[in-house]
């Protein structure tokens, strides 16, 4: 049992892997928030065409398992000759890490779009009307009332989504990404110890969730995020 | 293009049926575990602490890790016990390992959902039960549990949709569901793009089917009376 635990290669794989997991999670959340906000805007104000497009996007990328998406992008798309030499190839398909980041992002944007849409729908009409009544332009109402309230209301769900993305990032180990899961498992395989690395890695994932929860609690305490309403 | 894949459609649809079957087999166990842990969570005793540790652990562990750990863990346990007793025990069936892992993990998710519903359940309902002379276990069986299940129907339906997709990870320990069979077909026709695209469509179809079922169920539970929901 102790063989792999005494190996420096194992602990270095854990450390390197943790960095990969954190960067996959944070980058995919950042990109997912931008893409998700755009999708939510299309869904709410995009007209019939925009609404249908955004709805289809959410339906497809929430409905297909991350595992299938990963295989599709990692094994499937590189077989398309037309993609060779395009920006998509150079930017995304060149490495397992980038493919993983791309897949996590398009998947997670579908969920974030729904979170934001829920945040906007939950704003009481009276708030918006009050803004109009004191003479704000629609753009000011959006920037000063709708946007802050929707963000504040979505904060808890975004925290949960960050946890979900971190958990999903463990799946990227199947396309050879050396994240926390993948790196540690590969060292464990050398020592013929499949279980021990999983237990250690599980503990690290739990620590990271505590970190995410702490960050969300700190954000909640900010004056911008405070206030009584729209808290969930 | 599709004709290459056509001979495999029967093989494939069985995989799709297996995916649905695995989730259907896991779900009742997960709901029962969830209900038990949610009731424990609100019991205010040592059991409450155990339930909250259960929730916290499986909220943070990736499903892929739990599935692999269940598979390897049970096998190592069987081997140790077998060596100790001097007999050769068989290794665990991957389906059983996946069932166990998913039931325990989704039991925690269901538990969080149901304990939220327990928290907002008006105390007056249980008090009314006590007033007409019901015992504690009668109140639990006839009032608390039915109302929680009805209230949580929508969230549990969503959880089932999540389960359908997460069950794809069972393919990694060799369960022959849709994803595993897709990998096999992909190797046979040497066209992963086509194979995984078709798999994606099959998953969407299964999800759409489950969603229709969920809507029917929700409408039925609403018709049974609105109180408590």
């Amino acid at each position: 049992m102790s063989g792999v635990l005494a190996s420096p290669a194992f602990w270095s794989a854990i450390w390197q892997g943790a960095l990969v997991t954190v960067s996959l999670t944070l980058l995919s959340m950042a990109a997912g928030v931008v893409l998700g906000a755009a999708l939510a805007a299309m869904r709410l104000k995009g007209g019939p065409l925009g609404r249908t497009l955004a709805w289809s996007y959410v339906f497809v990328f929430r409905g297909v398992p991350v595992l299938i998406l990963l295989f599709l992008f990692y094994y499937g798309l590189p077989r398309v000759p037309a993609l060779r030499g395009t920006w998509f190839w150079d930017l995304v398909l060149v490495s397992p890490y980038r493919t993983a980041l791309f897949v996590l992002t398009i998947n997670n944007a579908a969920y974030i779009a729904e979170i934001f849409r829920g945040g906007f729908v939950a704003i009481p009409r009276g708030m918006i009307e009050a803004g109009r009544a004191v003479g704000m332009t629609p753009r000011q109402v959006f920037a000063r009332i709708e946007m802050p309230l929707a963000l504040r209301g979505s904060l808890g769900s975004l925290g949960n989504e960050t946890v979900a993305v971190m958990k999903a990032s463990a799946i990227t180990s199947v396309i050879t990404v050396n994240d926390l899961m993948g790196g540690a498992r590969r060292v464990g395989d050398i020592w013929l110890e499949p279980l021990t690395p999983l237990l250690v890695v599980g503990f690290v994932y739990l620590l990271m969730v505590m970190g995410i929860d702490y960050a969300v609690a700190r954000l909640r305490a900010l004056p911008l995020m405070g206030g009584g309403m729209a808290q969930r | 293009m599709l004709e290459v894949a056509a001979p495999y459609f029967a093989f494939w649809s069985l995989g799709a049926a297996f995916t649905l079957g695995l989730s259907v087999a896991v779900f009742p166990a997960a709901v029962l575990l969830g209900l038990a842990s949610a009731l424990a969570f609100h019991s205010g005793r040592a059991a409450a602490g155990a339930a909250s540790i259960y929730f916290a652990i499986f909220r943070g562990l990736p499903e892929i890790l739990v599935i692999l750990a269940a598979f390897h863990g049970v096998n190592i346990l069987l081997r140790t016990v077998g060596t100790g007793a001097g007999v050769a025990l068989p290794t665990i069936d991957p389906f059983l390992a996946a069932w166990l892992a998913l039931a325990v993990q989704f039991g925690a998710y269901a538990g969080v959902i149901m304990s939220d519903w327990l928290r907002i359940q008006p105390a007056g309902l249980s008090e009314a039960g006590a007033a007409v002379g019901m015992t504690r276990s009668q109140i639990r069986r006839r009032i608390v549990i039915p109302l929680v299940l009805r209230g949580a129907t929508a969230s549990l339906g969503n959880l089932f949709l999540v389960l359908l997709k997460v069950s794809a990870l069972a393919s990694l320990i060799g369960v022959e569901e849709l994803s595993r069979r897709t990998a096999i077909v992909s190797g046979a026709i040497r066209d992963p793009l086509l194979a995984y695209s078709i798999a994606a469509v099959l998953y969407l179809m299964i999800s759409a089917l489950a969603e229709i079922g969920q809507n029917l169920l929700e409408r039925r539970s609403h018709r049974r009376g609105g109180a408590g929901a």
Side-chain angles (χ1 to χ4, degrees), chain A residues 114-157:
Chain A
E114 286 298 282
I115 292 173
F116 280 154
R117 192 174 69 94
F120 276 103
V121 170
I123 298 172
R125 289 285 326 154
M127 298 270 175
I128 296 164
E129 283 158 12
R132 299 289 297 147
V134 296
M136 289 188 190
T137 64
R139 178 169 297 196
Q140 283 175 322
V141 170
F142 181 78
R144 296 187 189 169
I145 298 178
E146 291 185 81
M147 188 85 121
L149 285 179
L151 269 182
R152 194 183 292 174
S154 308
L155 190 63
S157 307

mmCIF file of all heavy atoms in Angstrom, chain A residues 114-157:
data_model
loop_
_atom_site.group_PDB
_atom_site.id
_atom_site.type_symbol
_atom_site.label_atom_id
_atom_site.label_comp_id
_atom_site.label_asym_id
_atom_site.label_seq_id
_atom_site.Cartn_x
_atom_site.Cartn_y
_atom_site.Cartn_z
ATOM 1 N N GLU A 114 -28.282 29.093 -18.650
ATOM 2 C CA GLU A 114 -29.541 28.865 -17.931
ATOM 3 C C GLU A 114 -29.535 29.553 -16.571
ATOM 4 O O GLU A 114 -30.561 30.067 -16.126
ATOM 5 C CB GLU A 114 -29.777 27.359 -17.760
ATOM 6 C CG GLU A 114 -30.190 26.665 -19.037
ATOM 7 C CD GLU A 114 -31.516 27.189 -19.573
ATOM 8 O OE1 GLU A 114 -32.570 26.815 -19.064
ATOM 9 O OE2 GLU A 114 -31.464 28.012 -20.521
ATOM 10 N N ILE A 115 -28.365 29.574 -15.914
ATOM 11 C CA ILE A 115 -28.265 30.250 -14.611
ATOM 12 C C ILE A 115 -28.547 31.745 -14.772
ATOM 13 O O ILE A 115 -29.349 32.334 -14.047
ATOM 14 C CB ILE A 115 -26.867 30.033 -13.990
ATOM 15 C CG1 ILE A 115 -26.689 28.565 -13.600
ATOM 16 C CG2 ILE A 115 -26.669 30.936 -12.772
ATOM 17 C CD1 ILE A 115 -25.284 28.214 -13.126
ATOM 18 N N PHE A 116 -27.889 32.364 -15.772
ATOM 19 C CA PHE A 116 -28.087 33.808 -15.998
ATOM 20 C C PHE A 116 -29.533 34.106 -16.391
ATOM 21 O O PHE A 116 -30.130 35.072 -15.946
ATOM 22 C CB PHE A 116 -27.146 34.312 -17.093
ATOM 23 C CG PHE A 116 -25.748 34.553 -16.588
ATOM 24 C CD1 PHE A 116 -24.658 34.477 -17.447
ATOM 25 C CD2 PHE A 116 -25.511 34.880 -15.267
ATOM 26 C CE1 PHE A 116 -23.368 34.699 -16.997
ATOM 27 C CE2 PHE A 116 -24.231 35.111 -14.799
ATOM 28 C CZ PHE A 116 -23.157 35.020 -15.672
ATOM 29 N N ARG A 117 -30.081 33.266 -17.283
ATOM 30 C CA ARG A 117 -31.457 33.480 -17.713
ATOM 31 C C ARG A 117 -32.376 33.462 -16.478
ATOM 32 O O ARG A 117 -33.223 34.344 -16.315
ATOM 33 C CB ARG A 117 -31.877 32.386 -18.695
ATOM 34 C CG ARG A 117 -33.172 32.676 -19.404
ATOM 35 C CD ARG A 117 -33.446 31.636 -20.459
ATOM 36 N NE ARG A 117 -33.744 30.341 -19.880
ATOM 37 C CZ ARG A 117 -34.972 29.908 -19.629
ATOM 38 N NH1 ARG A 117 -36.006 30.671 -19.917
ATOM 39 N NH2 ARG A 117 -35.177 28.727 -19.105
ATOM 40 N N GLY A 118 -32.146 32.476 -15.595
ATOM 41 C CA GLY A 118 -32.936 32.412 -14.364
ATOM 42 C C GLY A 118 -32.759 33.665 -13.520
ATOM 43 O O GLY A 118 -33.715 34.193 -12.965
ATOM 44 N N GLY A 119 -31.512 34.181 -13.473
ATOM 45 C CA GLY A 119 -31.229 35.377 -12.688
ATOM 46 C C GLY A 119 -31.986 36.594 -13.198
ATOM 47 O O GLY A 119 -32.507 37.386 -12.410
ATOM 48 N N PHE A 120 -32.070 36.717 -14.535
ATOM 49 C CA PHE A 120 -32.783 37.860 -15.106
ATOM 50 C C PHE A 120 -34.289 37.722 -14.942
ATOM 51 O O PHE A 120 -34.989 38.682 -14.636
ATOM 52 C CB PHE A 120 -32.439 38.026 -16.595
ATOM 53 C CG PHE A 120 -31.175 38.795 -16.806
ATOM 54 C CD1 PHE A 120 -29.995 38.151 -17.142
ATOM 55 C CD2 PHE A 120 -31.154 40.171 -16.656
ATOM 56 C CE1 PHE A 120 -28.821 38.852 -17.317
ATOM 57 C CE2 PHE A 120 -29.991 40.899 -16.825
ATOM 58 C CZ PHE A 120 -28.821 40.236 -17.157
ATOM 59 N N VAL A 121 -34.784 36.501 -15.158
ATOM 60 C CA VAL A 121 -36.222 36.282 -15.068
ATOM 61 C C VAL A 121 -36.718 36.552 -13.650
ATOM 62 O O VAL A 121 -37.856 36.992 -13.446
ATOM 63 C CB VAL A 121 -36.554 34.840 -15.527
ATOM 64 C CG1 VAL A 121 -37.991 34.491 -15.214
ATOM 65 C CG2 VAL A 121 -36.279 34.700 -17.020
ATOM 66 N N ALA A 122 -35.832 36.323 -12.643
ATOM 67 C CA ALA A 122 -36.260 36.454 -11.250
ATOM 68 C C ALA A 122 -36.325 37.908 -10.779
ATOM 69 O O ALA A 122 -36.782 38.169 -9.674
ATOM 70 C CB ALA A 122 -35.305 35.672 -10.343
ATOM 71 N N ILE A 123 -35.854 38.867 -11.599
ATOM 72 C CA ILE A 123 -35.883 40.269 -11.162
ATOM 73 C C ILE A 123 -37.327 40.771 -11.161
ATOM 74 O O ILE A 123 -38.027 40.658 -12.165
ATOM 75 C CB ILE A 123 -35.045 41.144 -12.117
ATOM 76 C CG1 ILE A 123 -33.585 40.704 -12.084
ATOM 77 C CG2 ILE A 123 -35.164 42.619 -11.729
ATOM 78 C CD1 ILE A 123 -32.745 41.392 -13.125
ATOM 79 N N PRO A 124 -37.781 41.312 -10.019
ATOM 80 C CA PRO A 124 -39.162 41.816 -9.970
ATOM 81 C C PRO A 124 -39.357 42.964 -10.962
ATOM 82 O O PRO A 124 -38.487 43.846 -11.079
ATOM 83 C CB PRO A 124 -39.305 42.316 -8.524
ATOM 84 C CG PRO A 124 -38.177 41.709 -7.761
ATOM 85 C CD PRO A 124 -37.075 41.482 -8.739
ATOM 86 N N ARG A 125 -40.495 42.961 -11.664
ATOM 87 C CA ARG A 125 -40.791 44.000 -12.653
ATOM 88 C C ARG A 125 -40.666 45.396 -12.032
ATOM 89 O O ARG A 125 -40.210 46.340 -12.676
ATOM 90 C CB ARG A 125 -42.227 43.863 -13.195
ATOM 91 C CG ARG A 125 -42.518 42.712 -14.104
ATOM 92 C CD ARG A 125 -41.996 42.833 -15.512
ATOM 93 N NE ARG A 125 -41.975 44.166 -16.111
ATOM 94 C CZ ARG A 125 -41.123 44.504 -17.067
ATOM 95 N NH1 ARG A 125 -40.206 43.643 -17.463
ATOM 96 N NH2 ARG A 125 -41.161 45.690 -17.632
ATOM 97 N N GLY A 126 -41.108 45.498 -10.780
ATOM 98 C CA GLY A 126 -41.153 46.801 -10.123
ATOM 99 C C GLY A 126 -39.785 47.485 -10.077
ATOM 100 O O GLY A 126 -39.691 48.710 -10.167
ATOM 101 N N MET A 127 -38.720 46.704 -9.950
ATOM 102 C CA MET A 127 -37.364 47.257 -9.904
ATOM 103 C C MET A 127 -37.047 47.981 -11.206
ATOM 104 O O MET A 127 -36.475 49.066 -11.225
ATOM 105 C CB MET A 127 -36.347 46.131 -9.720
ATOM 106 C CG MET A 127 -36.510 45.374 -8.444
ATOM 107 S SD MET A 127 -35.518 46.163 -7.192
ATOM 108 C CE MET A 127 -35.968 45.218 -5.781
ATOM 109 N N ILE A 128 -37.406 47.310 -12.319
ATOM 110 C CA ILE A 128 -37.106 47.871 -13.634
ATOM 111 C C ILE A 128 -37.972 49.108 -13.871
ATOM 112 O O ILE A 128 -37.506 50.153 -14.341
ATOM 113 C CB ILE A 128 -37.352 46.794 -14.711
ATOM 114 C CG1 ILE A 128 -36.379 45.632 -14.493
ATOM 115 C CG2 ILE A 128 -37.215 47.382 -16.111
ATOM 116 C CD1 ILE A 128 -36.749 44.371 -15.212
ATOM 117 N N GLU A 129 -39.249 48.996 -13.490
ATOM 118 C CA GLU A 129 -40.166 50.133 -13.676
ATOM 119 C C GLU A 129 -39.731 51.322 -12.831
ATOM 120 O O GLU A 129 -39.829 52.476 -13.276
ATOM 121 C CB GLU A 129 -41.590 49.712 -13.304
ATOM 122 C CG GLU A 129 -42.230 48.869 -14.400
ATOM 123 C CD GLU A 129 -43.374 48.015 -13.881
ATOM 124 O OE1 GLU A 129 -43.819 48.231 -12.736
ATOM 125 O OE2 GLU A 129 -43.803 47.122 -14.640
ATOM 126 N N ALA A 130 -39.206 51.041 -11.625
ATOM 127 C CA ALA A 130 -38.738 52.126 -10.770
ATOM 128 C C ALA A 130 -37.597 52.872 -11.441
ATOM 129 O O ALA A 130 -37.537 54.108 -11.427
ATOM 130 C CB ALA A 130 -38.291 51.574 -9.416
ATOM 131 N N GLY A 131 -36.696 52.122 -12.073
ATOM 132 C CA GLY A 131 -35.590 52.736 -12.787
ATOM 133 C C GLY A 131 -36.083 53.626 -13.911
ATOM 134 O O GLY A 131 -35.630 54.768 -14.084
ATOM 135 N N ARG A 132 -37.052 53.118 -14.679
ATOM 136 C CA ARG A 132 -37.615 53.902 -15.775
ATOM 137 C C ARG A 132 -38.293 55.160 -15.225
ATOM 138 O O ARG A 132 -38.199 56.240 -15.810
ATOM 139 C CB ARG A 132 -38.642 53.068 -16.571
ATOM 140 C CG ARG A 132 -38.075 51.836 -17.223
ATOM 141 C CD ARG A 132 -37.180 52.166 -18.398
ATOM 142 N NE ARG A 132 -37.902 52.829 -19.458
ATOM 143 C CZ ARG A 132 -37.365 53.748 -20.251
ATOM 144 N NH1 ARG A 132 -36.112 54.118 -20.062
ATOM 145 N NH2 ARG A 132 -38.068 54.296 -21.218
ATOM 146 N N ALA A 133 -38.973 55.000 -14.067
ATOM 147 C CA ALA A 133 -39.752 56.108 -13.505
ATOM 148 C C ALA A 133 -38.855 57.267 -13.078
ATOM 149 O O ALA A 133 -39.250 58.426 -13.169
ATOM 150 C CB ALA A 133 -40.571 55.617 -12.304
ATOM 151 N N VAL A 134 -37.621 56.956 -12.619
ATOM 152 C CA VAL A 134 -36.754 58.060 -12.223
ATOM 153 C C VAL A 134 -35.956 58.580 -13.415
ATOM 154 O O VAL A 134 -34.997 59.341 -13.255
ATOM 155 C CB VAL A 134 -35.793 57.686 -11.068
ATOM 156 C CG1 VAL A 134 -36.581 57.362 -9.825
ATOM 157 C CG2 VAL A 134 -34.863 56.546 -11.462
ATOM 158 N N GLY A 135 -36.292 58.139 -14.634
ATOM 159 C CA GLY A 135 -35.711 58.719 -15.837
ATOM 160 C C GLY A 135 -34.479 58.034 -16.372
ATOM 161 O O GLY A 135 -33.756 58.600 -17.200
ATOM 162 N N MET A 136 -34.187 56.807 -15.949
ATOM 163 C CA MET A 136 -33.053 56.099 -16.531
ATOM 164 C C MET A 136 -33.398 55.638 -17.945
ATOM 165 O O MET A 136 -34.552 55.311 -18.242
ATOM 166 C CB MET A 136 -32.713 54.854 -15.696
ATOM 167 C CG MET A 136 -32.093 55.132 -14.347
ATOM 168 S SD MET A 136 -31.553 53.569 -13.618
ATOM 169 C CE MET A 136 -31.164 54.083 -11.965
ATOM 170 N N THR A 137 -32.370 55.624 -18.793
ATOM 171 C CA THR A 137 -32.570 55.060 -20.129
ATOM 172 C C THR A 137 -32.570 53.532 -19.986
ATOM 173 O O THR A 137 -32.070 53.006 -18.992
ATOM 174 C CB THR A 137 -31.427 55.460 -21.073
ATOM 175 O OG1 THR A 137 -30.209 54.881 -20.570
ATOM 176 C CG2 THR A 137 -31.269 56.961 -21.145
ATOM 177 N N PRO A 138 -33.113 52.810 -20.978
ATOM 178 C CA PRO A 138 -33.112 51.346 -20.892
ATOM 179 C C PRO A 138 -31.702 50.796 -20.668
ATOM 180 O O PRO A 138 -31.509 49.839 -19.916
ATOM 181 C CB PRO A 138 -33.637 50.912 -22.265
ATOM 182 C CG PRO A 138 -34.496 52.036 -22.710
ATOM 183 C CD PRO A 138 -33.861 53.285 -22.144
ATOM 184 N N ARG A 139 -30.699 51.434 -21.290
ATOM 185 C CA ARG A 139 -29.327 50.961 -21.094
ATOM 186 C C ARG A 139 -28.872 51.150 -19.649
ATOM 187 O O ARG A 139 -28.229 50.289 -19.063
ATOM 188 C CB ARG A 139 -28.404 51.728 -22.047
ATOM 189 C CG ARG A 139 -26.950 51.343 -21.900
ATOM 190 C CD ARG A 139 -26.127 51.898 -23.018
ATOM 191 N NE ARG A 139 -26.553 51.350 -24.302
ATOM 192 C CZ ARG A 139 -25.820 51.432 -25.402
ATOM 193 N NH1 ARG A 139 -24.659 52.044 -25.382
ATOM 194 N NH2 ARG A 139 -26.245 50.932 -26.538
ATOM 195 N N GLN A 140 -29.234 52.287 -19.057
ATOM 196 C CA GLN A 140 -28.883 52.523 -17.650
ATOM 197 C C GLN A 140 -29.591 51.541 -16.730
ATOM 198 O O GLN A 140 -28.999 51.025 -15.790
ATOM 199 C CB GLN A 140 -29.263 53.946 -17.244
ATOM 200 C CG GLN A 140 -28.287 54.985 -17.769
ATOM 201 C CD GLN A 140 -28.754 56.394 -17.448
ATOM 202 O OE1 GLN A 140 -29.947 56.682 -17.508
ATOM 203 N NE2 GLN A 140 -27.808 57.275 -17.140
ATOM 204 N N VAL A 141 -30.880 51.269 -17.046
ATOM 205 C CA VAL A 141 -31.624 50.302 -16.233
ATOM 206 C C VAL A 141 -30.911 48.960 -16.281
ATOM 207 O O VAL A 141 -30.729 48.291 -15.262
ATOM 208 C CB VAL A 141 -33.073 50.161 -16.753
ATOM 209 C CG1 VAL A 141 -33.753 48.977 -16.075
ATOM 210 C CG2 VAL A 141 -33.849 51.434 -16.489
ATOM 211 N N PHE A 142 -30.438 48.602 -17.477
ATOM 212 C CA PHE A 142 -29.765 47.316 -17.621
ATOM 213 C C PHE A 142 -28.474 47.287 -16.815
ATOM 214 O O PHE A 142 -28.226 46.364 -16.046
ATOM 215 C CB PHE A 142 -29.477 47.044 -19.102
ATOM 216 C CG PHE A 142 -28.795 45.722 -19.326
ATOM 217 C CD1 PHE A 142 -29.522 44.539 -19.295
ATOM 218 C CD2 PHE A 142 -27.429 45.660 -19.558
ATOM 219 C CE1 PHE A 142 -28.902 43.318 -19.484
ATOM 220 C CE2 PHE A 142 -26.797 44.442 -19.751
ATOM 221 C CZ PHE A 142 -27.539 43.273 -19.712
ATOM 222 N N ALA A 143 -27.660 48.355 -16.978
ATOM 223 C CA ALA A 143 -26.341 48.365 -16.357
ATOM 224 C C ALA A 143 -26.418 48.544 -14.842
ATOM 225 O O ALA A 143 -25.607 47.994 -14.113
ATOM 226 C CB ALA A 143 -25.477 49.472 -16.963
ATOM 227 N N ARG A 144 -27.408 49.334 -14.371
ATOM 228 C CA ARG A 144 -27.408 49.664 -12.943
ATOM 229 C C ARG A 144 -28.370 48.819 -12.126
ATOM 230 O O ARG A 144 -28.236 48.747 -10.909
ATOM 231 C CB ARG A 144 -27.781 51.139 -12.757
ATOM 232 C CG ARG A 144 -26.767 52.047 -13.369
ATOM 233 C CD ARG A 144 -27.080 53.472 -13.031
ATOM 234 N NE ARG A 144 -26.231 54.370 -13.801
ATOM 235 C CZ ARG A 144 -26.431 55.665 -13.854
ATOM 236 N NH1 ARG A 144 -27.434 56.194 -13.205
ATOM 237 N NH2 ARG A 144 -25.619 56.435 -14.557
ATOM 238 N N ILE A 145 -29.367 48.244 -12.780
ATOM 239 C CA ILE A 145 -30.355 47.483 -12.010
ATOM 240 C C ILE A 145 -30.348 46.006 -12.404
ATOM 241 O O ILE A 145 -30.068 45.135 -11.588
ATOM 242 C CB ILE A 145 -31.764 48.087 -12.188
ATOM 243 C CG1 ILE A 145 -31.777 49.522 -11.658
ATOM 244 C CG2 ILE A 145 -32.795 47.227 -11.462
ATOM 245 C CD1 ILE A 145 -33.075 50.237 -11.824
ATOM 246 N N GLU A 146 -30.642 45.740 -13.685
ATOM 247 C CA GLU A 146 -30.825 44.331 -14.066
ATOM 248 C C GLU A 146 -29.546 43.517 -13.890
ATOM 249 O O GLU A 146 -29.544 42.457 -13.284
ATOM 250 C CB GLU A 146 -31.300 44.249 -15.522
ATOM 251 C CG GLU A 146 -32.703 44.761 -15.719
ATOM 252 C CD GLU A 146 -33.164 44.549 -17.142
ATOM 253 O OE1 GLU A 146 -33.572 43.415 -17.440
ATOM 254 O OE2 GLU A 146 -33.100 45.492 -17.961
ATOM 255 N N MET A 147 -28.439 44.043 -14.448
ATOM 256 C CA MET A 147 -27.185 43.300 -14.426
ATOM 257 C C MET A 147 -26.707 43.003 -12.998
ATOM 258 O O MET A 147 -26.422 41.839 -12.685
ATOM 259 C CB MET A 147 -26.126 44.098 -15.191
ATOM 260 C CG MET A 147 -24.854 43.354 -15.389
ATOM 261 S SD MET A 147 -25.000 42.332 -16.845
ATOM 262 C CE MET A 147 -23.645 43.009 -17.765
ATOM 263 N N PRO A 148 -26.624 44.019 -12.123
ATOM 264 C CA PRO A 148 -26.155 43.710 -10.759
ATOM 265 C C PRO A 148 -27.063 42.733 -10.027
ATOM 266 O O PRO A 148 -26.587 41.813 -9.356
ATOM 267 C CB PRO A 148 -26.175 45.077 -10.055
ATOM 268 C CG PRO A 148 -26.190 46.087 -11.139
ATOM 269 C CD PRO A 148 -26.844 45.463 -12.321
ATOM 270 N N LEU A 149 -28.392 42.910 -10.190
ATOM 271 C CA LEU A 149 -29.302 42.017 -9.475
ATOM 272 C C LEU A 149 -29.183 40.593 -9.986
ATOM 273 O O LEU A 149 -29.185 39.632 -9.210
ATOM 274 C CB LEU A 149 -30.750 42.508 -9.619
ATOM 275 C CG LEU A 149 -31.130 43.721 -8.782
ATOM 276 C CD1 LEU A 149 -32.576 44.113 -9.048
ATOM 277 C CD2 LEU A 149 -30.941 43.422 -7.298
ATOM 278 N N ALA A 150 -29.072 40.442 -11.312
ATOM 279 C CA ALA A 150 -28.986 39.095 -11.874
ATOM 280 C C ALA A 150 -27.694 38.416 -11.440
ATOM 281 O O ALA A 150 -27.683 37.239 -11.089
ATOM 282 C CB ALA A 150 -29.064 39.157 -13.398
ATOM 283 N N LEU A 151 -26.601 39.182 -11.430
ATOM 284 C CA LEU A 151 -25.317 38.613 -11.007
ATOM 285 C C LEU A 151 -25.372 38.169 -9.557
ATOM 286 O O LEU A 151 -24.927 37.096 -9.197
ATOM 287 C CB LEU A 151 -24.206 39.646 -11.168
ATOM 288 C CG LEU A 151 -23.476 39.663 -12.504
ATOM 289 C CD1 LEU A 151 -22.387 40.715 -12.480
ATOM 290 C CD2 LEU A 151 -22.891 38.297 -12.810
ATOM 291 N N ARG A 152 -25.967 39.043 -8.727
ATOM 292 C CA ARG A 152 -26.049 38.745 -7.316
ATOM 293 C C ARG A 152 -26.886 37.496 -7.091
ATOM 294 O O ARG A 152 -26.522 36.621 -6.317
ATOM 295 C CB ARG A 152 -26.681 39.938 -6.598
ATOM 296 C CG ARG A 152 -26.538 39.924 -5.124
ATOM 297 C CD ARG A 152 -27.246 41.097 -4.522
ATOM 298 N NE ARG A 152 -26.619 42.375 -4.832
ATOM 299 C CZ ARG A 152 -27.148 43.544 -4.496
ATOM 300 N NH1 ARG A 152 -28.308 43.582 -3.880
ATOM 301 N NH2 ARG A 152 -26.531 44.655 -4.787
ATOM 302 N N GLY A 153 -27.995 37.410 -7.803
ATOM 303 C CA GLY A 153 -28.869 36.255 -7.646
ATOM 304 C C GLY A 153 -28.234 34.977 -8.157
ATOM 305 O O GLY A 153 -28.575 33.881 -7.716
ATOM 306 N N SER A 154 -27.295 35.100 -9.129
ATOM 307 C CA SER A 154 -26.707 33.908 -9.735
ATOM 308 C C SER A 154 -25.482 33.416 -8.987
ATOM 309 O O SER A 154 -24.970 32.341 -9.307
ATOM 310 C CB SER A 154 -26.286 34.213 -11.181
ATOM 311 O OG SER A 154 -27.336 34.785 -11.908
ATOM 312 N N LEU A 155 -25.010 34.177 -8.015
ATOM 313 C CA LEU A 155 -23.709 33.873 -7.414
ATOM 314 C C LEU A 155 -23.633 32.462 -6.830
ATOM 315 O O LEU A 155 -22.691 31.717 -7.113
ATOM 316 C CB LEU A 155 -23.387 34.908 -6.331
ATOM 317 C CG LEU A 155 -21.966 34.841 -5.787
ATOM 318 C CD1 LEU A 155 -20.971 35.140 -6.887
ATOM 319 C CD2 LEU A 155 -21.802 35.801 -4.634
ATOM 320 N N GLY A 156 -24.659 32.070 -6.058
ATOM 321 C CA GLY A 156 -24.648 30.752 -5.447
ATOM 322 C C GLY A 156 -24.610 29.650 -6.502
ATOM 323 O O GLY A 156 -23.837 28.690 -6.407
ATOM 324 N N SER A 157 -25.438 29.823 -7.553
ATOM 325 C CA SER A 157 -25.473 28.824 -8.622
ATOM 326 C C SER A 157 -24.151 28.773 -9.375
ATOM 327 O O SER A 157 -23.717 27.701 -9.797
ATOM 328 C CB SER A 157 -26.600 29.131 -9.608
ATOM 329 O OG SER A 157 -27.814 29.273 -8.923
#
